[in-house]
Amino acid sequence: MSGIHHFVPVVHRGDAVGRHTLRLREATLARGFESRIFVDVVEDDTAAETTSVVEYPAQARPDDVLVYQFATASYLAAWLVARPETLVINYHNVTPPELIAPWDAYLALGQARAQSELREMAGRTALAIADSAFNEQHLAGLGYRATAVIPPSAALAADVMASPRVAGAGGAASRGARWLSVGRLAPNKSVEDTIGALMVARAHHDPGATLTVIGRPITASYGAALRRYVTELGLDRAVTFLSRADDATVANAYDEADVLVVTSEHEGFCVPVVEAMTVGLPVVALARGALPEVLGSAGVIADAKEPYALAATISALVADAPRRDTVIGAGVARTHELGLDTAAERFVDLLCDVAAGGPAR
């Protein structure tokens, strides 16, 4: 094997797929393989670490392994299928278009196209590596025969994140609980359900409760609707939106929060859940997609998104110090069970197996 090269439509430094791709490239180089990241669009903030895909054919070698980070529709899919080198897909999930269509028909068409591209790549792919067993089941349903599961190496770097909080820490009782939502503002994230639960919590459980929402809207209509909803509920002083935030700002938000709330209707993994557990922040999440799988026995899984029930669940957890500490301890333990610190190296192991013609471990 001459090289292991990574292909992705675009690399954003603060994006989960971008961080994952950069770390895989680092792990590949550390094993002594030539490795570059080829993109369709070169972004200014990652231009020094990426190369336009049009430059790859001139340097291609027959025994290269090409790794495609699949999370959205791209002309790269058909281009890679036509290449002769060994192809591996790293699947990060595609949001069902029906969850996007009410807000942005064009974007929903892109999701439908991505689903079609994923199906068409099945027969050409030597191995498909999924973020979660939930994603792996999707791949199997599309005809992928060789699959594996390795969690993404996409969490914020350890030197940015705070140390896990100690048992009994937190001042929610005296100042009102600080709720946190992290992730791109997409319709499938259903942040409106978190906002609705906050309104109920302030009215019946915790008048001082606040919510910080960190994430860039993927479509302007959804982002604007969330802000209007906040205003209509009279929560302008209780809800803060941060559309753009660097890693240090996000890490500080985790450190100051009392609970991470995830009300997504569809999740292929959910990196913020792992980040929260790493620093000892309790998680309340809906039983949707891969969320139960990622949380395991840590965190609190809510079966219903009805605002009164959800508000009661979140408020009860924040107010119950012994239970909160138990959840915090289980979350920290869960991050070790997931083996995130060795995920990138295990990913490279699988690529070496594929290149050698053996079964993926």
Side-chain angles (χ1 to χ4, degrees):
M1 177 168 52
S2 299
I4 298 173
H5 301 292
H6 303 274
F7 293 76
V8 62
V10 62
V11 173
H12 298 293
R13 190 172 300 280
D15 173 75
V17 174
R19 287 201 299 265
H20 174 69
T21 305
L22 290 167
R23 289 175 185 169
L24 283 183
R25 193 272 309 274
E26 292 173 2
T28 306
L29 290 171
R31 296 285 284 273
F33 296 108
E34 180 183 348
S35 185
R36 301 179 71 178
I37 299 174
F38 292 93
V39 297
D40 187 28
V41 178
V42 177
E43 287 285 299
D44 291 341
D45 66 335
T46 54
E49 296 168 294
T50 59
T51 304
S52 174
V53 68
V54 299
E55 297 185 28
Y56 175 71
Q59 55 191 272
R61 299 181 182 179
D63 56 349
D64 282 347
V65 173
L66 313 186
V67 183
Y68 182 37
Q69 303 298 330
F70 199 115
T72 188
S74 171
Y75 291 114
L76 282 178
W79 186 86
L80 286 167
V81 166
R83 296 291 311 173
E85 297 84 9
T86 298
L87 176 62
V88 172
I89 284 180
N90 190 187
Y91 180 48
H92 300 276
N93 194 263
V94 173
T95 302
E98 58 268 23
L99 296 179
I100 306 293
W103 300 96
D104 191 319
Y106 179 77
L107 187 59
L109 286 174
Q111 298 302 102
R113 175 186 157 200
Q115 290 181 334
S116 177
E117 290 174 350
L118 184 64
R119 184 179 298 106
E120 292 170 358
M121 297 184 80
R124 171 66 181 82
T125 304
L127 174 66
I129 303 174
D131 285 355
S132 61
F134 175 78
N135 282 344
E136 185 182 36
Q137 290 173 0
H138 187 199
L139 291 172
L142 294 176
Y144 285 83
R145 296 184 178 180
T147 61
V149 176
I150 295 181
S153 305
L156 290 172
D159 60 351
V160 176
M161 300 291 275
S163 299
R165 62 191 71 192
V166 297
S174 60
R175 53 163 165 71
R178 295 171 177 171
W179 298 17
L180 179 63
S181 172
V182 179
R184 61 197 182 104
L185 282 191
N188 64 290
K189 302 291 185 179
S190 299
V191 178
E192 64 272 16
D193 293 319
T194 301
I195 294 170
L198 177 72
M199 182 192 70
V200 174
R202 286 172 60 86
H204 298 281
H205 304 284
D206 184 358
T210 59
L211 169 65
T212 298
V213 180
I214 300 179
R216 179 176 57 86
I218 67 165
T219 179
S221 60
Y222 183 66
L226 286 177
R227 292 175 182 272
R228 288 196 305 270
Y229 188 44
V230 165
T231 298
E232 290 168 359
L233 295 180
L235 296 174
D236 285 316
R237 295 186 177 181
V239 179
T240 301
F241 288 94
L242 296 178
S243 298
R244 294 185 180 277
D246 58 22
D247 288 353
T249 300
V250 177
N252 186 63
Y254 281 121
D255 190 41
E256 293 185 347
D258 296 300
V259 61
L260 177 74
V261 182
V262 183
T263 50
S264 300
E265 273 298 320
H266 183 88
E267 286 285 357
F269 186 83
C270 196
V271 169
V273 165
V274 170
E275 293 173 337
M277 291 191 296
T278 299
V279 298
L281 178 63
V283 178
V284 175
L286 292 183
R288 303 288 192 276
L291 287 169
E293 172 190 345
V294 175
L295 274 170
S297 59
V300 175
I301 294 293
D303 293 323
K305 63 166 59 181
E306 189 276 320
Y308 283 88
L310 186 58
T313 296
I314 296 169
S315 298
L317 174 64
V318 173
D320 187 341
R323 184 184 180 210
R324 186 180 67 245
D325 292 339
T326 298
V327 171
I328 288 172
V332 173
R334 178 60 179 156
T335 62
H336 296 300
E337 293 173 3
L338 290 170
L340 300 174
D341 56 336
T342 62
E345 289 71 24
R346 287 184 284 132
F347 195 105
V348 178
D349 286 340
L350 290 181
L351 299 180
C352 291
D353 289 346
V354 170
R361 286 176 286 183

